[in-house]
């Protein structure tokens, strides 16, 4: 059983301010490297922030200026990076997650599938799922609402492909009046993560951003962190719940062994009492 040391880079993401966001990201990447992290997981769309109008005019292609920046950091600090960016193609924009190795090569990509309605003017729906071989095992990628309970088939598909670890850049957002005492995420995120973790014996890790949203359909709401790592045992680690709670959370994860394949997985789920209807 291999162990991977991951860092959750829960950081302030300002709408329409990629340079400032990237400066904060680099500080966390450097700190994670100094603490011997194998991989750092950063939030969703950390270039312009989630659904910020500036992304419609200023988004970059992948490969391109912004992805190159993180490729250079991965190579400089000798660390794998999973990061969410806004991707520009010839005709569309996507909410995209990248997986970059320590040689600075992009070896994994995922375009968000389960878009919220408010995202429709900003991003197109992604059309594929894949898991990626890494030095520690198989890693799957999804993004934020791809883990909603009613979209859990996305996680099931990654598990069926053999994912031992699912990485999910996110941007969890609440109304401005919500505080730590009202934390709405305990069931909203823990429940679907734990369903996947317990049924398939895998780990789900999600890093979220912090700060107030400026511009776009969610202006005035806030991103409050509460990054989360869940295994079959329950919560393995979590970030602070606060709109100002920029934080680097370190965690050693033993990659679960996934022995079952194909129809063996269905038999395993049946033995666990999982219902397919």
């Amino acid at each position: 059983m291999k162990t991977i040391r991951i860092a959750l880079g829960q950081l302030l993401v300002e709408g329409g301010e990629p340079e400032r966001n990237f400066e904060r990201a680099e500080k966390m990447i450097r700190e994670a490297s100094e603490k011997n992290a194998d991989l750092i997981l950063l939030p969703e769309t950390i270039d312009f922030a989630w659904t910020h109008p500036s992304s419609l005019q200023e988004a970059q292609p992948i490969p391109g200026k912004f992805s190159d920046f993180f490729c250079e950091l991965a190579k400089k600090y000798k660390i794998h990076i999973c990061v969410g960016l806004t991707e520009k193609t010839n005709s569309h924009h996507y909410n995209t997650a990248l997986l970059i190795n320590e040689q600075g090569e992009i070896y994994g990509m995922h375009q968000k599938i389960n878009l919220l309605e408010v995202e429709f003017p900003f991003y197109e729906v992604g059309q594929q799922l894949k898991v990626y071989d890494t030095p520690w095992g198989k890693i799957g990628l999804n993004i934020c609402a791809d883990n909603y309970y009613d979209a859990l088939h996305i996680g099931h598909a990654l598990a069926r492909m053999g994912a031992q670890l699912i990485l999910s850049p996110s941007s969890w957002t609440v109304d401005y009046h919500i505080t730590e005492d009202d934390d709405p995420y305990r069931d909203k995120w823990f429940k679907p993560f734990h369903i996947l973790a317990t049924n398939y014996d895998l780990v789900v890790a999600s890093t979220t951003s912090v700060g107030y949203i400026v511009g776009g359909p969610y202006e005035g709401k806030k991103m409050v962190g509460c990054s989360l790592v869940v295994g079959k045992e329950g919560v393995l680690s979590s970030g602070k719940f606060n709109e100002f709670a920029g934080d680097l959370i370190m965690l050693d994860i033993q990659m679960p062994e996934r022995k079952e394949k194909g129809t063996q997985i269905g038999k395993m789920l049946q033995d666990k009492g999982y219902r397919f209807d």
Side-chain angles (χ1 to χ4, degrees):
M1 201 177 285
K2 295 185 177 180
T3 299
I4 179 172
R5 172 166 288 188
I6 70 169
L8 308 181
Q10 181 172 295
L11 77 157
L12 171 64
V13 176
E14 295 180 271
E17 297 289 348
E19 290 186 8
R20 295 214 291 255
N21 297 334
F22 290 178
E23 181 180 353
R24 282 186 288 272
E26 180 171 4
K27 289 179 181 178
M28 283 200 170
I29 292 168
R30 181 174 63 248
E31 183 181 352
S33 176
E34 290 170 351
K35 293 182 176 179
N36 298 314
D38 298 305
L39 180 148
I40 183 169
L41 174 60
L42 296 166
E44 174 183 16
T45 55
I46 71 167
D47 41 14
F48 302 102
W50 182 70
T51 67
H52 192 273
S54 64
S55 66
L56 295 172
Q57 288 76 41
E58 299 176 29
Q60 300 294 311
I62 297 173
K65 177 182 177 181
F66 291 165
S67 61
D68 288 351
F69 175 82
F70 286 97
C71 288
E72 287 301 316
L73 293 184
K75 188 162 50 174
K76 178 179 179 180
Y77 295 111
K78 295 181 171 55
I79 188 171
H80 290 238
I81 297 174
C82 183
V83 59
L85 295 173
T86 312
E87 178 186 5
K88 177 184 179 181
T89 68
N90 289 335
S91 55
H92 297 300
H93 291 80
Y94 293 93
N95 183 338
T96 299
L98 300 181
L99 194 55
I100 304 167
N101 66 21
E102 61 183 20
Q103 287 78 44
E105 301 164 334
I106 298 172
Y107 68 99
M109 286 184 64
H110 171 74
Q111 295 167 334
K112 187 175 182 180
I113 295 171
N114 192 38
L115 299 177
L116 278 66
E117 283 190 46
V118 296
E119 293 183 83
F120 293 173
F122 299 91
Y123 319 112
E124 293 293 318
V125 173
Q127 297 182 23
Q128 66 177 7
L129 287 171
K130 191 175 179 181
V131 299
Y132 300 94
D133 290 315
T134 76
W136 308 279
K138 293 185 181 295
I139 291 180
L141 302 178
N142 66 25
I143 298 173
C144 201
D146 285 338
N147 294 295
Y148 274 9
Y149 187 74
D150 62 357
L152 203 55
H153 50 278
I154 294 171
H156 282 285
L158 292 172
R160 289 275 185 164
M161 295 175 190
Q164 297 161 271
L165 171 64
I166 296 175
L167 301 176
S168 185
S170 298
S171 182
W172 297 347
T173 305
V174 298
D175 289 332
Y176 71 93
H177 59 81
I178 298 293
T179 69
E180 299 94 312
D181 296 332
D182 307 310
D183 179 0
Y185 291 145
R186 291 188 182 94
D187 288 331
K188 184 174 183 178
W189 296 109
F190 172 75
K191 184 176 180 180
F193 287 3
H194 200 231
I195 288 172
L196 295 175
T198 54
N199 279 299
Y200 297 98
D201 190 12
L202 54 77
V203 177
V204 184
S206 183
T207 300
T208 70
S209 42
V210 300
Y212 281 89
I213 293 182
V214 178
Y218 268 28
E219 184 166 25
K221 294 180 183 287
K222 60 184 181 180
M223 306 168 289
V224 289
C226 200
S227 300
L228 197 60
V229 183
V230 176
K232 64 180 181 180
E233 306 89 343
V235 176
L236 303 180
S237 188
S238 61
K240 297 174 183 176
F241 184 109
N242 190 293
E243 61 268 34
F244 307 111
D247 195 15
L248 185 72
I249 304 108
M250 302 293 301
L251 176 68
D252 290 332
I253 295 174
Q254 283 195 327
M255 294 288 276
E257 293 184 19
R258 297 287 313 281
K259 296 179 180 179
E260 294 83 7
K261 300 178 182 179
T263 56
Q264 292 176 339
I265 295 177
K267 177 65 165 58
M268 175 196 70
L269 293 175
Q270 279 185 321
D271 291 344
K272 291 183 175 182
Y274 183 84
R275 294 177 57 90
F276 296 96
D277 54 9

